[in-house]
Amino acid sequence: MTEISGMNDLQDKQILDALATKFKEARTKQGLSQRKLALIAGMEYNQVQKLEKGESNLQITTIIRLMIALNLTPNDILPYGNELP
């Protein structure tokens, strides 16, 4: 049972890292700082920092606020295909 739990934790981390990479790439491509993105998305700066480090398991509402702030669609940001563990 522990092995399965550990595997899920690893898969979760890989998914969070893939999502973090997508958001960071979109933010930097648009020339936004983490602080500016946080302001536009109505978030705290440290939330954006944690997201981009893959340290935050975001709520769907937060993901949607970030997608709106960056003019992204779910296809732009959600990991899929070879990016999934």
Side-chain angles (χ1 to χ4, degrees):
M1 201 62 130
T2 305
E3 186 174 321
I4 292 173
S5 175
M7 186 167 50
N8 287 337
D9 289 345
L10 177 59
Q11 287 175 331
D12 287 353
K13 179 65 174 142
Q14 290 171 328
I15 291 168
L16 290 175
D17 286 345
L19 188 61
T21 298
K22 293 276 190 172
F23 274 118
K24 184 175 182 177
E25 286 173 356
R27 176 185 62 77
T28 57
K29 184 176 180 180
Q30 294 182 33
L32 297 173
S33 67
Q34 289 178 335
R35 289 189 191 278
K36 183 69 174 177
L37 175 57
L39 181 65
I40 294 169
M43 299 172 59
E44 295 293 325
Y45 166 65
N46 67 342
Q47 286 178 290
V48 175
Q49 282 183 314
K50 286 180 182 179
L51 159 70
E52 289 190 2
K53 292 179 183 177
E55 297 174 353
S56 180
N57 195 348
L58 301 173
Q59 295 181 355
I60 190 68
T61 53
T62 303
I63 293 170
I64 291 170
R65 278 190 283 156
L66 287 166
M67 288 184 352
I68 290 168
L70 293 166
N71 291 321
L72 301 172
T73 67
N75 285 340
D76 295 327
I77 207 70
L78 295 176
Y80 57 89
N82 292 334
E83 298 171 38
L84 288 175

